[in-house]
mmCIF file of all heavy atoms in Angstrom:
data_model
loop_
_atom_site.group_PDB
_atom_site.id
_atom_site.type_symbol
_atom_site.label_atom_id
_atom_site.label_comp_id
_atom_site.label_asym_id
_atom_site.label_seq_id
_atom_site.Cartn_x
_atom_site.Cartn_y
_atom_site.Cartn_z
ATOM 1 N N HIS W 1 -6.496 -1.219 -17.896
ATOM 2 C CA HIS W 1 -5.933 -0.496 -19.027
ATOM 3 C C HIS W 1 -6.612 0.810 -19.415
ATOM 4 O O HIS W 1 -5.947 1.743 -19.828
ATOM 5 C CB HIS W 1 -5.789 -1.302 -20.301
ATOM 6 C CG HIS W 1 -4.827 -2.685 -20.126
ATOM 7 N ND1 HIS W 1 -3.499 -2.435 -19.972
ATOM 8 C CD2 HIS W 1 -5.184 -3.863 -19.856
ATOM 9 C CE1 HIS W 1 -2.935 -3.642 -19.696
ATOM 10 N NE2 HIS W 1 -3.837 -4.607 -19.635
ATOM 11 N N ALA W 2 -7.838 0.897 -19.092
ATOM 12 C CA ALA W 2 -8.622 2.149 -19.312
ATOM 13 C C ALA W 2 -8.471 3.163 -18.195
ATOM 14 O O ALA W 2 -8.176 4.312 -18.363
ATOM 15 C CB ALA W 2 -10.090 1.818 -19.622
ATOM 16 N N CYS W 3 -8.597 2.746 -17.047
ATOM 17 C CA CYS W 3 -8.656 3.504 -15.911
ATOM 18 C C CYS W 3 -7.187 3.744 -15.289
ATOM 19 O O CYS W 3 -7.079 4.712 -14.504
ATOM 20 C CB CYS W 3 -9.438 3.064 -14.707
ATOM 21 S SG CYS W 3 -8.892 1.612 -13.866
ATOM 22 N N LYS W 4 -6.148 2.853 -15.567
ATOM 23 C CA LYS W 4 -4.877 2.921 -15.139
ATOM 24 C C LYS W 4 -4.766 2.915 -13.611
ATOM 25 O O LYS W 4 -3.799 3.323 -13.038
ATOM 26 C CB LYS W 4 -4.198 4.148 -15.616
ATOM 27 C CG LYS W 4 -4.158 4.133 -17.088
ATOM 28 C CD LYS W 4 -3.229 5.165 -17.693
ATOM 29 C CE LYS W 4 -3.172 5.319 -19.194
ATOM 30 N NZ LYS W 4 -3.170 4.265 -20.036
ATOM 31 N N GLY W 5 -5.744 2.235 -13.015
ATOM 32 C CA GLY W 5 -5.659 2.061 -11.435
ATOM 33 C C GLY W 5 -5.827 3.259 -10.663
ATOM 34 O O GLY W 5 -5.406 3.345 -9.582
ATOM 35 N N GLU W 6 -6.719 4.051 -11.176
ATOM 36 C CA GLU W 6 -7.061 5.358 -10.606
ATOM 37 C C GLU W 6 -7.580 5.332 -9.071
ATOM 38 O O GLU W 6 -7.323 6.183 -8.381
ATOM 39 C CB GLU W 6 -8.007 6.241 -11.452
ATOM 40 C CG GLU W 6 -8.100 7.654 -11.090
ATOM 41 C CD GLU W 6 -8.807 8.550 -12.081
ATOM 42 O OE1 GLU W 6 -9.148 7.985 -13.212
ATOM 43 O OE2 GLU W 6 -9.045 9.723 -11.757
ATOM 44 N N CYS W 7 -8.239 4.170 -8.925
ATOM 45 C CA CYS W 7 -8.854 4.112 -7.500
ATOM 46 C C CYS W 7 -7.773 3.997 -6.407
ATOM 47 O O CYS W 7 -8.115 4.252 -5.218
ATOM 48 C CB CYS W 7 -9.785 2.878 -7.410
ATOM 49 S SG CYS W 7 -8.900 1.207 -7.706
ATOM 50 N N CYS W 8 -6.478 3.720 -6.727
ATOM 51 C CA CYS W 8 -5.449 3.671 -5.735
ATOM 52 C C CYS W 8 -4.769 5.047 -5.694
ATOM 53 O O CYS W 8 -3.900 5.152 -4.771
ATOM 54 C CB CYS W 8 -4.450 2.543 -6.245
ATOM 55 S SG CYS W 8 -5.064 0.887 -6.264
ATOM 56 N N ILE W 9 -5.141 5.879 -6.536
ATOM 57 C CA ILE W 9 -4.348 7.140 -6.489
ATOM 58 C C ILE W 9 -5.356 8.426 -6.276
ATOM 59 O O ILE W 9 -4.847 9.631 -6.155
ATOM 60 C CB ILE W 9 -3.469 7.345 -7.744
ATOM 61 C CG1 ILE W 9 -4.347 7.209 -8.952
ATOM 62 C CG2 ILE W 9 -2.416 6.335 -7.754
ATOM 63 C CD1 ILE W 9 -3.571 7.571 -10.344
ATOM 64 N N GLU W 10 -6.568 8.171 -6.275
ATOM 65 C CA GLU W 10 -7.503 9.309 -6.027
ATOM 66 C C GLU W 10 -8.131 9.137 -4.695
ATOM 67 O O GLU W 10 -8.301 8.028 -4.260
ATOM 68 C CB GLU W 10 -8.484 9.388 -7.245
ATOM 69 C CG GLU W 10 -7.943 9.917 -8.484
ATOM 70 C CD GLU W 10 -7.407 11.312 -8.345
ATOM 71 O OE1 GLU W 10 -7.978 12.159 -7.636
ATOM 72 O OE2 GLU W 10 -6.282 11.578 -9.022
ATOM 73 N N GLY W 11 -8.731 10.086 -4.262
ATOM 74 C CA GLY W 11 -9.446 10.052 -2.987
ATOM 75 C C GLY W 11 -8.710 10.937 -1.973
ATOM 76 O O GLY W 11 -7.695 11.534 -2.259
ATOM 77 N N ASP W 12 -9.302 11.072 -0.632
ATOM 78 C CA ASP W 12 -8.810 11.900 0.309
ATOM 79 C C ASP W 12 -8.179 11.096 1.399
ATOM 80 O O ASP W 12 -7.821 11.706 2.437
ATOM 81 C CB ASP W 12 -9.768 12.815 0.699
ATOM 82 C CG ASP W 12 -11.027 12.101 1.284
ATOM 83 O OD1 ASP W 12 -11.044 10.997 1.354
ATOM 84 O OD2 ASP W 12 -12.019 12.802 1.647
ATOM 85 N N ALA W 13 -8.145 9.863 1.440
ATOM 86 C CA ALA W 13 -7.504 9.084 2.457
ATOM 87 C C ALA W 13 -6.915 7.716 1.933
ATOM 88 O O ALA W 13 -7.325 7.417 0.769
ATOM 89 C CB ALA W 13 -8.639 8.772 3.610
ATOM 90 N N GLY W 14 -6.209 7.045 2.659
ATOM 91 C CA GLY W 14 -5.696 5.673 2.279
ATOM 92 C C GLY W 14 -6.770 4.562 2.308
ATOM 93 O O GLY W 14 -7.887 4.918 2.690
ATOM 94 N N ALA W 15 -6.388 3.512 2.044
ATOM 95 C CA ALA W 15 -7.300 2.295 2.078
ATOM 96 C C ALA W 15 -7.614 1.926 3.481
ATOM 97 O O ALA W 15 -6.602 1.760 4.329
ATOM 98 C CB ALA W 15 -6.631 1.191 1.373
ATOM 99 N N PRO W 16 -8.824 1.687 3.782
ATOM 100 C CA PRO W 16 -9.129 1.221 5.113
ATOM 101 C C PRO W 16 -8.530 -0.127 5.515
ATOM 102 O O PRO W 16 -8.377 -1.086 4.720
ATOM 103 C CB PRO W 16 -10.767 1.017 5.079
ATOM 104 C CG PRO W 16 -11.203 1.809 4.069
ATOM 105 C CD PRO W 16 -10.039 1.774 3.026
ATOM 106 N N LEU W 17 -8.132 -0.188 6.803
ATOM 107 C CA LEU W 17 -7.348 -1.281 7.277
ATOM 108 C C LEU W 17 -8.159 -2.094 8.404
ATOM 109 O O LEU W 17 -8.724 -1.306 9.258
ATOM 110 C CB LEU W 17 -5.900 -0.994 7.764
ATOM 111 C CG LEU W 17 -5.048 -0.429 6.641
ATOM 112 C CD1 LEU W 17 -3.773 0.127 7.410
ATOM 113 C CD2 LEU W 17 -4.625 -1.458 5.686
ATOM 114 N N GLU W 18 -7.954 -3.420 8.367
ATOM 115 C CA GLU W 18 -8.457 -4.200 9.526
ATOM 116 C C GLU W 18 -7.267 -4.170 10.553
ATOM 117 O O GLU W 18 -6.087 -4.184 10.097
ATOM 118 C CB GLU W 18 -8.912 -5.443 9.146
ATOM 119 C CG GLU W 18 -10.108 -5.277 8.323
ATOM 120 C CD GLU W 18 -10.831 -6.771 8.052
ATOM 121 O OE1 GLU W 18 -10.491 -7.658 8.480
ATOM 122 O OE2 GLU W 18 -11.806 -6.571 7.202
ATOM 123 N N LYS W 19 -7.544 -4.163 11.849
ATOM 124 C CA LYS W 19 -6.561 -4.102 12.835
ATOM 125 C C LYS W 19 -5.443 -5.228 12.630
ATOM 126 O O LYS W 19 -4.251 -4.899 12.673
ATOM 127 C CB LYS W 19 -7.128 -4.455 14.165
ATOM 128 C CG LYS W 19 -6.259 -4.303 15.443
ATOM 129 C CD LYS W 19 -7.122 -4.418 16.715
ATOM 130 C CE LYS W 19 -6.197 -4.648 17.819
ATOM 131 N NZ LYS W 19 -7.010 -4.771 19.106
ATOM 132 N N GLU W 20 -5.794 -6.373 12.230
ATOM 133 C CA GLU W 20 -4.773 -7.513 12.068
ATOM 134 C C GLU W 20 -3.977 -7.238 10.861
ATOM 135 O O GLU W 20 -2.969 -7.974 10.631
ATOM 136 C CB GLU W 20 -5.510 -8.732 12.193
ATOM 137 C CG GLU W 20 -6.419 -9.163 11.021
ATOM 138 C CD GLU W 20 -7.932 -8.668 11.333
ATOM 139 O OE1 GLU W 20 -8.164 -8.008 12.401
ATOM 140 O OE2 GLU W 20 -8.836 -8.906 10.589
ATOM 141 N N GLU W 21 -4.315 -6.524 9.901
ATOM 142 C CA GLU W 21 -3.569 -6.154 8.605
ATOM 143 C C GLU W 21 -2.366 -5.278 8.985
ATOM 144 O O GLU W 21 -1.400 -5.408 8.114
ATOM 145 C CB GLU W 21 -4.417 -5.527 7.597
ATOM 146 C CG GLU W 21 -5.534 -6.436 6.952
ATOM 147 C CD GLU W 21 -6.404 -5.919 6.073
ATOM 148 O OE1 GLU W 21 -6.795 -4.773 6.058
ATOM 149 O OE2 GLU W 21 -6.711 -6.625 5.076
ATOM 150 N N ILE W 22 -2.395 -4.438 9.931
ATOM 151 C CA ILE W 22 -1.228 -3.587 10.166
ATOM 152 C C ILE W 22 0.044 -4.331 10.355
ATOM 153 O O ILE W 22 0.924 -4.024 9.648
ATOM 154 C CB ILE W 22 -1.592 -2.514 11.346
ATOM 155 C CG1 ILE W 22 -2.786 -1.759 10.927
ATOM 156 C CG2 ILE W 22 -0.439 -1.681 11.543
ATOM 157 C CD1 ILE W 22 -3.437 -0.894 12.058
ATOM 158 N N PRO W 23 0.070 -5.281 11.229
ATOM 159 C CA PRO W 23 1.424 -6.040 11.394
ATOM 160 C C PRO W 23 1.726 -6.779 10.079
ATOM 161 O O PRO W 23 2.879 -6.899 9.766
ATOM 162 C CB PRO W 23 1.130 -7.026 12.514
ATOM 163 C CG PRO W 23 -0.322 -6.902 12.896
ATOM 164 C CD PRO W 23 -0.863 -5.723 12.192
ATOM 165 N N GLU W 24 0.819 -7.178 9.327
ATOM 166 C CA GLU W 24 0.994 -7.829 7.994
ATOM 167 C C GLU W 24 1.647 -6.804 6.973
ATOM 168 O O GLU W 24 2.579 -7.248 6.270
ATOM 169 C CB GLU W 24 -0.360 -8.438 7.467
ATOM 170 C CG GLU W 24 -0.849 -9.570 8.113
ATOM 171 C CD GLU W 24 -0.032 -10.913 8.209
ATOM 172 O OE1 GLU W 24 0.784 -11.052 7.166
ATOM 173 O OE2 GLU W 24 0.013 -11.579 9.230
ATOM 174 N N LEU W 25 1.172 -5.648 7.082
ATOM 175 C CA LEU W 25 1.719 -4.629 6.146
ATOM 176 C C LEU W 25 3.217 -4.345 6.530
ATOM 177 O O LEU W 25 4.101 -4.282 5.664
ATOM 178 C CB LEU W 25 0.972 -3.327 6.331
ATOM 179 C CG LEU W 25 -0.325 -3.260 5.530
ATOM 180 C CD1 LEU W 25 -1.026 -1.795 5.897
ATOM 181 C CD2 LEU W 25 -0.145 -3.276 4.074
ATOM 182 N N GLU W 26 3.369 -4.220 7.862
ATOM 183 C CA GLU W 26 4.761 -4.029 8.368
ATOM 184 C C GLU W 26 5.736 -5.183 8.153
ATOM 185 O O GLU W 26 6.851 -5.010 7.598
ATOM 186 C CB GLU W 26 4.765 -3.727 9.787
ATOM 187 C CG GLU W 26 3.983 -2.305 10.030
ATOM 188 C CD GLU W 26 3.796 -2.137 11.613
ATOM 189 O OE1 GLU W 26 3.724 -3.123 12.369
ATOM 190 O OE2 GLU W 26 3.333 -1.027 11.876
ATOM 191 N N LYS W 27 5.232 -6.380 8.047
ATOM 192 C CA LYS W 27 6.025 -7.659 7.738
ATOM 193 C C LYS W 27 6.423 -7.574 6.195
ATOM 194 O O LYS W 27 7.475 -8.006 5.899
ATOM 195 C CB LYS W 27 5.239 -8.845 8.204
ATOM 196 C CG LYS W 27 5.919 -10.103 7.938
ATOM 197 C CD LYS W 27 5.015 -11.423 8.348
ATOM 198 C CE LYS W 27 5.486 -12.647 7.737
ATOM 199 N NZ LYS W 27 4.523 -13.645 8.013
ATOM 200 N N ALA W 28 5.453 -7.279 5.500
ATOM 201 C CA ALA W 28 5.660 -7.232 4.001
ATOM 202 C C ALA W 28 6.490 -6.118 3.513
ATOM 203 O O ALA W 28 7.032 -6.112 2.364
ATOM 204 C CB ALA W 28 4.322 -7.240 3.335
ATOM 205 N N LEU W 29 6.641 -5.070 4.318
ATOM 206 C CA LEU W 29 7.288 -3.883 3.907
ATOM 207 C C LEU W 29 8.692 -4.096 3.390
ATOM 208 O O LEU W 29 9.115 -3.447 2.304
ATOM 209 C CB LEU W 29 7.348 -2.797 5.067
ATOM 210 C CG LEU W 29 7.936 -1.435 4.630
ATOM 211 C CD1 LEU W 29 7.059 -0.732 3.558
ATOM 212 C CD2 LEU W 29 7.793 -0.592 5.937
ATOM 213 N N PRO W 30 9.608 -4.742 4.058
ATOM 214 C CA PRO W 30 10.959 -5.057 3.481
ATOM 215 C C PRO W 30 10.919 -5.769 2.079
ATOM 216 O O PRO W 30 11.715 -5.407 1.155
ATOM 217 C CB PRO W 30 11.606 -5.954 4.443
ATOM 218 C CG PRO W 30 10.912 -5.724 5.733
ATOM 219 C CD PRO W 30 9.404 -5.524 5.356
ATOM 220 N N THR W 31 9.941 -6.523 1.803
ATOM 221 C CA THR W 31 9.789 -7.247 0.447
ATOM 222 C C THR W 31 9.574 -6.284 -0.603
ATOM 223 O O THR W 31 10.023 -6.392 -1.751
ATOM 224 C CB THR W 31 8.696 -8.296 0.671
ATOM 225 O OG1 THR W 31 9.023 -9.119 1.688
ATOM 226 C CG2 THR W 31 8.624 -9.051 -0.578
ATOM 227 N N VAL W 32 8.654 -5.291 -0.327
ATOM 228 C CA VAL W 32 8.332 -4.192 -1.415
ATOM 229 C C VAL W 32 9.111 -2.970 -1.415
ATOM 230 O O VAL W 32 8.898 -2.173 -2.291
ATOM 231 C CB VAL W 32 6.856 -4.122 -1.289
ATOM 232 C CG1 VAL W 32 5.965 -5.311 -1.448
ATOM 233 C CG2 VAL W 32 6.493 -3.369 0.059
ATOM 234 N N TRP W 33 9.859 -2.698 -0.423
ATOM 235 C CA TRP W 33 10.618 -1.460 -0.166
ATOM 236 C C TRP W 33 11.163 -0.906 -1.461
ATOM 237 O O TRP W 33 10.987 0.315 -1.798
ATOM 238 C CB TRP W 33 11.635 -1.625 0.883
ATOM 239 C CG TRP W 33 12.238 -0.363 1.340
ATOM 240 C CD1 TRP W 33 13.487 0.218 1.027
ATOM 241 C CD2 TRP W 33 11.663 0.776 2.131
ATOM 242 N NE1 TRP W 33 13.655 1.431 1.626
ATOM 243 C CE2 TRP W 33 12.524 1.833 2.290
ATOM 244 C CE3 TRP W 33 10.363 0.796 2.744
ATOM 245 C CZ2 TRP W 33 12.176 2.903 3.031
ATOM 246 C CZ3 TRP W 33 10.016 1.956 3.436
ATOM 247 C CH2 TRP W 33 11.003 2.935 3.556
ATOM 248 N N GLU W 34 11.915 -1.710 -2.249
ATOM 249 C CA GLU W 34 12.545 -1.249 -3.454
ATOM 250 C C GLU W 34 11.598 -0.871 -4.447
ATOM 251 O O GLU W 34 11.948 -0.092 -5.465
ATOM 252 C CB GLU W 34 13.620 -2.244 -3.963
ATOM 253 C CG GLU W 34 14.809 -2.421 -2.993
ATOM 254 C CD GLU W 34 15.499 -1.115 -2.648
ATOM 255 O OE1 GLU W 34 15.759 -0.249 -3.565
ATOM 256 O OE2 GLU W 34 15.882 -0.834 -1.526
ATOM 257 N N GLU W 35 10.487 -1.347 -4.493
ATOM 258 C CA GLU W 35 9.331 -1.058 -5.431
ATOM 259 C C GLU W 35 8.721 0.382 -5.174
ATOM 260 O O GLU W 35 8.238 0.828 -6.219
ATOM 261 C CB GLU W 35 8.243 -2.140 -5.439
ATOM 262 C CG GLU W 35 8.692 -3.478 -5.835
ATOM 263 C CD GLU W 35 8.606 -3.637 -7.380
ATOM 264 O OE1 GLU W 35 7.862 -2.963 -8.065
ATOM 265 O OE2 GLU W 35 9.438 -4.433 -7.991
ATOM 266 N N LEU W 36 8.756 0.817 -3.962
ATOM 267 C CA LEU W 36 8.135 1.978 -3.679
ATOM 268 C C LEU W 36 8.884 3.303 -4.077
ATOM 269 O O LEU W 36 10.071 3.309 -4.207
ATOM 270 C CB LEU W 36 7.885 1.974 -2.127
ATOM 271 C CG LEU W 36 7.215 0.835 -1.419
ATOM 272 C CD1 LEU W 36 7.139 1.030 0.046
ATOM 273 C CD2 LEU W 36 5.849 0.583 -2.113
ATOM 274 N N SER W 37 8.205 4.310 -4.324
ATOM 275 C CA SER W 37 8.770 5.565 -4.756
ATOM 276 C C SER W 37 9.467 6.239 -3.594
ATOM 277 O O SER W 37 9.233 5.811 -2.422
ATOM 278 C CB SER W 37 7.721 6.593 -5.208
ATOM 279 O OG SER W 37 6.939 7.134 -4.087
ATOM 280 N N GLN W 38 10.435 7.029 -3.839
ATOM 281 C CA GLN W 38 11.184 7.636 -2.806
ATOM 282 C C GLN W 38 10.241 8.547 -1.940
ATOM 283 O O GLN W 38 10.426 8.522 -0.731
ATOM 284 C CB GLN W 38 12.271 8.725 -3.384
ATOM 285 C CG GLN W 38 13.146 9.382 -2.440
ATOM 286 C CD GLN W 38 13.998 8.327 -1.534
ATOM 287 O OE1 GLN W 38 14.470 7.417 -1.979
ATOM 288 N NE2 GLN W 38 14.007 8.804 -0.237
ATOM 289 N N SER W 39 9.356 9.114 -2.449
ATOM 290 C CA SER W 39 8.291 9.883 -1.622
ATOM 291 C C SER W 39 7.592 9.016 -0.677
ATOM 292 O O SER W 39 7.299 9.291 0.354
ATOM 293 C CB SER W 39 7.306 10.624 -2.658
ATOM 294 O OG SER W 39 7.795 11.422 -3.522
#
């Protein structure tokens, strides 16, 4: 409530990923698609 999740929006790169997480992200994508911003 104080930081408002700034660690997810600041920095110069995305979150580091492990190789096996990439297909998991792709699999989860349709589930979260409508939550994501147009950008």
Side-chain angles (χ1 to χ4, degrees):
H1 293 289
C3 73
K4 300 194 182 319
E6 197 170 351
C7 61
C8 296
I9 57 176
E10 287 301 325
D12 56 3
L17 295 170
E18 297 189 2
K19 185 177 165 182
E20 62 274 5
E21 290 179 322
I22 297 169
E24 292 293 329
L25 285 174
E26 292 167 346
K27 180 181 164 190
L29 188 58
T31 306
V32 299
W33 188 255
E34 292 304 316
E35 292 278 331
L36 306 181
S37 70
Q38 183 60 38
S39 300

